[in-house]
Amino acid sequence: MISIESRIEIDRPAGEVFAFVADQTNGPKWQAGLAEVRRVTPGPIGVGTEHVFVRRFAGRRIESRNRFIRYEPGRFVEFEIPQGWLTGTASYRVDQIASGGCRLTSRMDFRIRGPLKLVSPLLARLLAHDSRVDEATLTALLESANASPEARLGAKGGL
């Protein structure tokens, strides 16, 4: 089992940050290696929302699917990856802080299947490193000082 939890502070209102990270189609704007995310369920985001996502990993294209299993509007989303070589859950929790910004807590609990299970410790380090890089990108994207909210959120290819 690989478990990674991180907390970052972002100088933006909690609602804005939550709306951005909960809409997983924004993922390619701030997550390296994430090539594409498509929502495959109609209607508003909530429990049951499903996405197909495509990653580049170790030179390979990997397509998988996730499903929201918990959703508290404006505050918390948890999703599962039920099938594939990497399964488990991940979540984002956003809390307002006194400075007017917010704290984003990310958690990943994954299991590795198949031959890659042998290199789980290495994959855990890679996931932790990539998570830190992605969080720095997210923070920079959302905190762009001289940009309107629309420009900030669309800085890497539009909403």
Side-chain angles (χ1 to χ4, degrees):
M1 177 74 104
I2 296 173
S3 293
I4 300 168
E5 184 171 293
S6 63
R7 289 179 186 84
I8 58 169
E9 291 186 6
I10 301 174
D11 189 19
R12 299 300 312 153
E16 181 181 310
V17 172
F18 180 81
F20 190 76
V21 298
D23 180 353
Q24 292 193 342
T25 62
N26 288 323
K29 297 173 189 169
W30 62 279
Q31 294 179 34
L34 188 56
E36 176 185 351
V37 177
R38 295 182 316 272
R39 187 160 29 141
V40 294
T41 52
I45 294 173
V47 171
T49 297
E50 293 186 24
H51 297 88
V52 170
F53 57 97
V54 178
R55 286 197 177 276
R56 292 276 174 210
F57 183 76
R60 300 181 66 195
R61 180 183 186 276
I62 300 169
E63 185 171 301
S64 193
R65 194 174 185 118
N66 71 20
R67 175 178 43 250
F68 285 10
I69 56 174
R70 287 182 55 203
Y71 186 81
E72 298 171 28
R75 184 164 195 289
F76 181 80
V77 61
E78 181 177 19
F79 51 96
E80 68 176 347
I81 302 169
Q83 298 177 329
W85 67 273
L86 183 75
T87 61
T89 62
S91 65
Y92 299 116
R93 187 180 77 230
V94 181
D95 297 299
Q96 195 71 42
I97 56 177
S99 67
C102 67
R103 179 175 300 110
L104 172 66
T105 303
S106 302
R107 177 147 185 97
M108 296 180 274
D109 293 301
F110 294 134
R111 288 172 299 287
I112 298 174
R113 299 175 185 211
L116 289 177
K117 189 173 188 176
L118 298 173
V119 293
S120 291
L122 174 62
L123 289 175
R125 287 193 298 277
L126 287 171
L127 282 170
H129 173 268
D130 288 352
S131 180
R132 287 188 302 272
V133 170
D134 292 344
E135 289 167 349
T137 301
L138 176 66
T139 300
L141 177 64
L142 295 180
E143 289 184 348
S144 298
N146 297 319
S148 68
E150 294 80 15
R152 270 195 313 278
L153 299 180
K156 288 178 83 178
L159 295 173

